[in-house]
Amino acid sequence: MRVNRTLLSIVLVVIALVVQVSVLARLQLPGAVPDLLLMVVLGLAFVYGHVSGALIGFGAGLLADLAPPADHAAGRYALVLCVIGYLAGLARPENGQLKSAFLPMAVVVAAAIGSTLLYAGVGALVGDTAARHVGLGSLLFTAAVYDLLLAPFTVPLIMALARRTVNDPLTESSSGRGDVAAGWLAAGTGLRIGSQRGGLRVKAARNRAARAGRIKGVKRL
């Protein structure tokens, strides 16, 4: 990863971890806890791809494993977020465009359920049965609901910030293709953020040509 991507990823991960530990973990909601760290990994993986998503996920999970008041084996959540970041990066469209919000929201739900199952599975291997006592079904349902509610307010913003660090010719062309964040933000509104600039330029050129034609016609008369 480039330096600017690395710096942005570190800043977002640290901020998410601080908010996760100091705010979200203290809400005392029933079942699971809204996972802001997972949203950061998903948002960055949607833009940077599967390799960077796996690296960011591993680093973010390792910080979460070491940050107090962590009470589980170090590397457990790092493995979970590494796998989730890799798989989320594979869901990134090749052309950088999303026509609807269905795909990223489906990935968020799948990541919430998958991370909970994987975390519980790794815990079972090391003898941690806390998920069994709490109720795995309740954890899966609440994790999916909380993360689904949190995602629209966090993931598009993270993707927009990450896109600024990517020198992607798709974002600079006027071919009408929008980036991933723009596709999500514009979903359901009928707006084409990526193609508005090109359309305005074409319309302005046509207006100038028509005006020049009228002027020439007047001079000939």
Side-chain angles (χ1 to χ4, degrees), residues 115-191:
S115 61
T116 304
L117 286 175
L118 187 57
Y119 186 83
V122 175
L125 293 177
V126 297
D128 185 1
T129 59
R132 186 181 306 173
H133 296 294
V134 175
L136 184 58
S138 176
L139 285 177
L140 292 175
F141 177 76
T142 53
V145 172
Y146 295 157
D147 291 345
L148 190 61
L149 294 176
L150 182 62
F153 302 99
T154 55
V155 178
L157 177 60
I158 294 168
M159 293 170 64
L161 293 174
R163 179 59 74 182
R164 293 178 176 271
T165 65
V166 178
N167 294 324
D168 191 349
L170 287 173
T171 61
E172 299 176 358
S173 65
S174 58
S175 61
R177 293 180 180 179
D179 59 19
V180 180
W184 192 350
L185 290 172
T189 62
L191 298 178

Side-chain angles (χ1 to χ4, degrees), residues 44-159:
L44 295 177
F46 281 147
V47 178
Y48 295 153
H50 58 282
V51 176
S52 298
L55 295 175
I56 295 171
F58 179 81
L62 187 60
L63 286 178
D65 289 331
L66 300 177
D71 56 354
H72 55 269
R76 182 175 171 184
Y77 200 47
L79 174 62
V80 173
L81 288 187
C82 180
V83 174
I84 295 299
Y86 180 84
L87 296 178
L90 294 178
R92 177 179 181 267
E94 292 295 334
N95 60 359
Q97 182 182 13
L98 286 173
K99 296 182 179 180
S100 70
F102 176 78
L103 177 60
M105 297 303 283
V107 173
V108 168
V109 175
I113 296 176
S115 61
T116 304
L117 286 175
L118 187 57
Y119 186 83
V122 175
L125 293 177
V126 297
D128 185 1
T129 59
R132 186 181 306 173
H133 296 294
V134 175
L136 184 58
S138 176
L139 285 177
L140 292 175
F141 177 76
T142 53
V145 172
Y146 295 157
D147 291 345
L148 190 61
L149 294 176
L150 182 62
F153 302 99
T154 55
V155 178
L157 177 60
I158 294 168
M159 293 170 64

Side-chain angles (χ1 to χ4, degrees), residues 21-22 41 54 74 89 99 120 125 141 144-145 174 181 197 208 213-214 219:
V21 173
S22 61
V41 173
K99 296 182 179 180
L125 293 177
F141 177 76
V145 172
S174 58
R197 294 180 179 176
R208 287 195 296 269
R214 289 195 298 268
K219 289 182 178 180

